[in-house]
Amino acid sequence: MNKKILVLLSLFVATLSQSQVKTFTLDEAVMQQNKAFRADKMQGFQWIPNIHNYVYYAALGTKMMMASATDSNAKEAVTLTEINAALGTKLKSFTGLEWIDATTILISEKGKYYRYSLTEKSGKNLQETDETAENQTFDASKQNLAFTEKNNLYFFNSNKEKIAVTNESNEGIVSGQSIARNEFGIKNGIFWSPKSSYLAFYQKDQSQVADYPLLDITETPGKLINLKYPMIGQKSETPRVGIYNLATKKTVFIAPKSGVSDDYLTNLSWSPDENYVLIAELNRAQNDMNLNVYDAKTGAFVRTILNEKNKAWVEPQHEAFFLNAKSNNFIWLSEKEGFQNLYYYSIDGKLIKQLTTNQFATKEIIGANPSGTEIYFKATGANPTNMLVYKVDLKGKQTLITKDEGVHTFAVSTDGNWYFDEYSNHSTPSKSLLIDKNLKVTTLLVSKNKFDGYQLGTADIKTIKAADGITDLYTRLIKPSNFDSTKKYPVLVYVYGGPHAQMITNSFLDGANLWMYWMAEQGYLVFTVDNRGSGNRGFAFESVIHGRLGVNEMEDQMKGVDYLKSLPYVDGNRLAVHGWSYGGFMTTSLMLRKPDTFKVAVAGGPVTDWKYYEVMYGERYMDTPAENQKGFDEANTLNYVNNLKGKLLLIHGTNDDTVVMQQNFVLLKKFVESEKQVDFFAYPMHKHNVLGKDRVHLMTKVLNYVIENNK
């Protein structure tokens, strides 16, 4: 064949191949990452109680499929159409489904609860709450339903009689809801005892907490919404734990044993025999914690099982984990030796054994086998970007169950003989596995890469040294699909940097948002470093921030900048930075305290002066202004406004109830007084995060601002 024809044919094939490669829009990047581009998974996987069968959802979540640990050929168990026809409901998904027994499921719709038999294909109404009810919580038997209305707590008993547990006319006294602004691992405020003899609940008196004004612009005229927001160093809520006895219809209350009314009560748990309630009591300074035992009948203090102190902070995150229904022995998770480990205690307060001595972070306990001789837990392992699953027995023998590196979700069958494992990593979108007790693995599902055929860049995961010259920090650098090492690229640094957060994980896309890959296709590099102070690295790594928020974090971020500038393909004169919340604080701090580094910045929902932040989080890391005025002054971004050189856009949701809008307003006022020009954009009626379709508007605003001002 003529060489000229061959060349033309090659060019035609190359052109055709390129024309078939798809690109995704920013709209798709924001809205479809967890929809159209979501990896194939066994959606809604659950083990059925007391048997080896499991279920998951198919046909866009409209069918429940059932299979067995010994036979993975799934059969249709029930469809939403069948359930809706039997119950008269209009369910669109199985979300919130719970098992009552091996053949009966609990279904809920708008406060109405039904039991549905899979064998009989029929069901009936179980309980029904009014539209004003919130925090609905069933007991273990799925007979009694507790709930809150406004500030009071009620329950429906098995006869559907409504029982008032509290009757507080003072709206400042709130029962049955989360307290301490969901810090200390608090997720709810209602706790049924194992046999439903008692109903325990959190109560907070926030009468003395200052009202913070938010504006509802949807009414004419605008309506004032008062939010109870305890700011650092000011009046805080005072907690109690109530225990309602269903037999006597009486309630006993437990207040902080210290006698200091605004100390914290958290991590509530019931002993299996219902005789005791365990509560972690933490002083307001958050450096001294007691795990206390109380008599369930009388509310009387019984004993302190353990005490933990630390000059920086003590932060209990998990309640006592009881191994089985026959023993009051339990597991306590503690970070007291540098990394969170498992400690085995008796209810008498005896440390039976420290079960793990890992020099890596444990995340949480997943469960235990029925006899309580093996405990399953999540931990990072040696590579902190992983989240693996281990088991440990009561003699301290530890076994890694998940052999593949990555980020795992995990479920144990009721008898403890089978495990469901679903994970992803840098090169695996998702893989679903069945593992037997001998750790033999059967593959159930392997997801295809939903980005095949799309222009998608690559992420390089590396480590650099922190500012201390010793500690390894993980970095992620996203490059465009047509990356050319001979070119010079501008960089967008995405930063969070605060406690409990980890931006870089060994998961598909490496923990990045898809909009970052879109930004790379616009000719950018997108860079992130998890500085000291961020999560899953142990107490020493995280606690370097204490009393001086922003200092060590910024120095580590600057080491990231040094690394970027060492790369021959980085344009060191075109660096931008963006972050939200703590990342907004970091973005603003970097722009003002390292003014020659970044040409443009976008800070969303930023803390600008820590004295305006909430008590529970803020005092843990900064103490109070009376105790640490130097630290507050050092972190205060208002003190550095005159340093501004580049372009800065500040963004805030007008109804932000986490980082209140005053944070941004005081900074804006300071910029005006200093005759410094900045840009500002508000998202009306949005809270701390801009969600829904408006998020496309947000990311368009952020990324266009960077591109237009970083030329």
Side-chain angles (χ1 to χ4, degrees), residues 75 100 116 119 134 188 258 266 390 434 468 552 554 683:
K75 298 179 181 178
I100 297 175
Y116 179 86
T119 54
E134 297 179 309
N188 61 308
S258 65
T266 183
Y390 295 80
L434 186 67
D468 64 4
N552 285 302
M554 276 195 298
Y683 280 89

Side-chain angles (χ1 to χ4, degrees), residues 101-283:
D101 56 42
T103 61
T104 313
I105 56 178
L106 175 68
I107 295 285
S108 64
E109 181 185 48
K110 296 180 179 178
K112 296 179 181 179
Y113 296 84
Y114 306 86
R115 56 181 297 142
Y116 179 86
S117 170
L118 295 175
T119 54
E120 298 175 5
K121 300 291 184 180
S122 63
K124 65 177 182 178
N125 181 274
L126 197 59
Q127 295 284 9
E128 185 172 336
T129 58
D130 295 334
E131 292 181 359
T132 56
E134 297 179 309
N135 303 300
Q136 290 94 332
T137 307
F138 268 104
D139 64 353
S141 70
K142 302 297 188 288
Q143 296 293 319
N144 299 294
L145 177 62
F147 57 94
T148 62
E149 289 181 357
K150 294 185 178 179
N151 62 310
N152 282 303
L153 174 64
Y154 305 86
F155 73 93
F156 283 119
N157 62 21
S158 58
N159 296 321
K160 299 187 179 182
E161 298 169 317
K162 184 177 181 180
I163 311 296
V165 178
T166 66
N167 186 24
E168 294 286 350
S169 58
N170 179 353
E171 293 185 359
I173 300 176
V174 180
S175 299
Q177 299 182 27
S178 295
I179 60 175
R181 293 183 61 81
N182 295 96
E183 293 293 326
F184 317 115
I186 294 173
K187 300 180 181 68
N188 61 308
I190 297 172
F191 309 87
W192 286 102
S193 64
K195 302 169 188 176
S196 307
S197 302
Y198 301 94
L199 176 58
F201 57 94
Y202 287 137
Q203 184 184 85
K204 60 182 176 183
D205 185 345
Q206 53 185 8
S207 303
Q208 300 301 310
V209 176
D211 289 328
Y212 192 89
L214 301 176
L215 177 63
D216 181 355
I217 65 167
T218 64
E219 297 195 19
T220 306
K223 181 181 177 182
L224 179 67
I225 303 171
N226 278 323
L227 165 73
K228 291 292 186 181
Y229 191 92
M231 285 188 177
I232 289 177
Q234 299 187 14
K235 293 285 187 180
S236 187
E237 63 189 42
T238 60
R240 294 198 300 178
V241 168
I243 305 174
Y244 178 84
N245 186 318
L246 272 70
T248 66
K249 300 181 181 180
K250 301 292 184 183
T251 302
V252 295
F253 283 96
I254 298 167
K257 185 177 179 296
S258 65
V260 180
S261 62
D262 60 357
D263 280 354
Y264 300 106
L265 300 177
T266 183
N267 306 120
L268 189 153
S269 61
W270 279 98
S271 64
D273 62 10
E274 294 191 323
N275 289 333
Y276 304 107
V277 171
L278 281 69
I279 302 170
E281 181 175 327
L282 183 67
N283 65 337

